[in-house]
Amino acid sequence: MAVSADRAVAAPSKLADDFNGDGYRDLAIGMPQKTINGKEAAGAVLLTFGSAHGLTGKHVYITQNSTNIPGTAGYQDFFGSSLASGDVNGDGYADLLVGSEGDTTADTSGNGSVTVLWGGTSPFRSGLALPSGPSYPSRLFGADIAVGDFTGDSAPDIAVSSQTSLRLYSGTFTRTKAPTGIDLTDPDLTGSWNLAAGDFTGDGKDELAVVQSKTSLVYGQEPGTTDADSFTVQARLAGGDRVAAGDLNGDGRDDLAIALYDPRLHPNGLTDPSHGAGYVTVRYGDPDISGGLTPTGHVYHQNTAGIPGSNESDDNFGAALSIADITGDHRAELAIGVPYESFGRAIRAGDVLVLRGSARGLTTTGAERFSQDTPGIPGSAENNDVFGSQVRLADFNRDGKADLAVAAPDEDPYHNKGSGALWQLRGTSSGPNTSNASVYGPKDYDVAPGSGIGETLLG
């Protein structure tokens, strides 16, 4: 059911992903491959609302052809290729940042763009395009986006990656104007793709993890400064191709998980313990270390004791990551997507693993595995579903426990394109609950088959 009418709200909740201010976290779902008015891969975004019952079919549908949204839906714009959120203009409502990494801007093909969609009681009625700086063909500006208080001025800043640069926006945002932004530089910055914001030192300011295939960089603010020019590289870590931040051990500092889900395609120069299956390295926040992260990481893969399954080449273990507290014990869990996992004859059916947080950090004790063959989860594991391509942990029903959202963008192929679907498992004190799992597809979101629901998710 699409939502368009205003709803009375006593006061906005100020949650970073509550776009209509009703006190419930919402979920943005990207469909960057979706055809719009005959323009292949122009892209679209769905916003589905949280409620006392969690996520429901209520939604808002946005493209670059929507009223008061900047730009025009074009061939291979990939609107929705990246998603991030935060209260950018300080009005109490979360705003959604949408990357269109293939967008043609300034007459430059593939330069890319980022659009801010403004939250409110009826969200996304208007938007603003961020100034992208110099234009280059195939720049892919908007490859990833992160929002955090990087400069320590108690206001949100925005980091945007591209194939050629990393751009930081710091200052005052209004509905009609954004800061110009500056390009961050470093000799090891060779094309920033995956970003995560987290307070690794526990000082109230966010650091920015920039994950590249060879080297990952951790940017942080120089002590005693709040200007964007003093936001510089504080640490260098091994590379990867996915990243997530959150407090796994409950010590008040964020920790960092970096996945190398395809070690053969994106080798980082280190020995691959997974033999091509993919692995995740976790580092813990530490206030006494430059960059705020322990230099020695803890490595997890499917041959790690306690983790269900076994390493198989090209499983893509870690293709999706999300960190939040499922059990309500103030120690976050880590959800890991393994979209190319096979089950018998079901090739690349996919699954999701959940590892528990504890006072000592991430543990494999009690690790759980979820797929469409798990009792209670709707559907069945089929060839090329790629269940687990995207995951998101967030408390959609406001019960103090994060729920698990899982996307399978290739579910139910239609004319060689996946229709896609989104599953929801409620968080409980014992972990994700499958007894009341729900699934939403094209009919629930009023989109055509072949739309690729869930190719990207917020977070």
Side-chain angles (χ1 to χ4, degrees):
M1 178 174 63
V3 175
S4 59
D6 287 353
R7 290 186 290 171
V9 177
S13 70
K14 300 184 180 181
L15 294 171
D17 48 2
D18 177 11
F19 301 103
N20 61 356
D22 65 355
Y24 294 97
R25 296 183 183 275
D26 308 314
L27 181 65
I29 304 169
M31 300 179 290
Q33 299 277 355
K34 183 172 174 54
T35 298
I36 306 296
N37 292 350
K39 303 294 185 180
E40 185 177 353
V45 172
L46 285 167
L47 171 63
T48 181
F49 294 98
S51 72
H53 304 289
L55 297 176
T56 67
K58 292 182 178 180
H59 65 276
V60 170
Y61 174 79
I62 300 292
T63 75
Q64 286 183 292
N65 286 349
S66 298
T67 303
N68 295 325
I69 302 303
T72 302
Y75 174 71
Q76 292 189 352
D77 279 351
F78 302 115
F79 182 75
S81 56
S82 59
L83 302 166
S85 66
D87 182 10
V88 173
N89 62 353
D91 65 355
Y93 296 93
D95 309 304
L96 181 67
L97 292 96
V98 182
S100 309
E101 64 181 15
D103 202 359
T104 296
T105 56
D107 297 322
T108 305
S109 177
N111 181 64
S113 67
V114 172
T115 302
V116 184
L117 303 180
W118 301 113
T121 53
S122 288
F124 305 170
R125 295 290 186 89
S126 62
L128 175 71
L130 291 183
S132 64
S135 298
Y136 304 101
S138 301
R139 180 187 179 197
L140 306 183
F141 179 77
D144 204 5
I145 311 166
V147 179
D149 180 12
F150 302 124
T151 57
D153 61 357
S154 300
D157 308 303
I158 299 171
V160 179
S161 68
S162 74
Q163 189 163 255
T164 60
S165 66
L166 175 64
R167 198 163 182 86
L168 178 67
Y169 298 84
S170 181
T172 301
F173 293 83
T174 70
R175 286 182 175 245
T176 58
K177 188 175 182 180
T180 302
I182 62 170
D183 283 339
L184 302 178
T185 60
D186 186 86
D188 286 331
L189 192 64
T190 58
S192 55
W193 291 103
N194 297 282
L195 308 178
D199 182 5
F200 307 130
T201 62
D203 64 354
K205 294 185 289 188
D206 288 316
E207 283 74 42
L208 176 67
V210 181
V211 173
Q212 308 169 118
S213 59
K214 296 293 185 183
T215 306
S216 297
L217 307 175
V218 181
Y219 280 80
Q221 194 69 30
E222 295 289 347
T225 66
T226 57
D227 61 291
D229 290 327
S230 300
F231 192 63
T232 59
V233 173
Q234 305 294 312
R236 302 172 198 275
L237 308 171
D241 40 28
R242 288 293 183 269
V243 63
D247 187 1
L248 296 165
N249 56 8
D251 65 357
R253 295 184 291 271
D254 285 324
D255 311 306
L256 190 71
I258 296 177
L260 189 62
Y261 72 84
D262 194 341
R264 296 183 179 182
L265 183 63
H266 301 130
N268 63 3
L270 301 179
T271 300
D272 171 20
S274 72
H275 305 290
Y279 62 96
V280 175
T281 303
V282 173
R283 290 180 172 85
Y284 293 96
D286 190 323
D288 299 322
I289 296 176
S290 180
L293 292 166
T294 53
T296 302
H298 300 258
V299 177
Y300 301 87
H301 48 80
Q302 285 190 283
N303 280 0
T304 300
I307 294 182
S310 60
N311 286 337
E312 297 167 318
S313 181
D314 302 320
D315 274 349
N316 280 14
F317 178 90
L321 301 173
S322 188
I323 298 176
D325 179 13
I326 298 174
T327 61
D329 65 354
H330 306 293
R331 301 179 182 104
E333 278 67 50
L334 172 64
I336 303 172
V338 194
Y340 282 8
E341 184 74 78
S342 298
F343 299 92
R345 295 184 178 181
I347 307 302
R348 295 185 174 182
D351 66 3
V352 175
L353 302 176
V354 174
L355 307 187
R356 299 287 184 88
S358 74
R360 300 183 65 181
L362 201 65
T363 176
T364 60
T365 301
E368 296 182 276
R369 183 182 198 178
F370 302 94
S371 75
Q372 289 188 76
D373 279 350
T374 301
I377 294 182
S380 59
E382 300 168 315
N383 285 345
N384 299 313
D385 278 346
V386 292
F387 180 89
S389 288
Q390 295 291 332
V391 295
R392 170 68 167 167
L393 291 173
D395 182 9
F396 300 119
N397 61 357
R398 205 169 61 186
D399 67 352
K401 302 175 182 66
D403 310 304
L404 173 62
V406 182
D410 289 351
E411 177 84 5
D412 294 334
Y414 180 81
H415 291 182
N416 297 318
K417 291 184 178 180
S419 296
L422 182 84
W423 284 257
Q424 176 185 218
L425 282 66
R426 304 285 177 79
T428 72
S429 58
S430 58
N433 181 12
T434 62
S435 64
N436 56 358
S438 53
V439 62
Y440 301 94
K443 290 184 179 179
D444 302 290
Y445 295 134
D446 301 320
V447 297
S451 292
I453 294 170
E455 188 170 343
T456 59
L457 293 181
L458 176 65

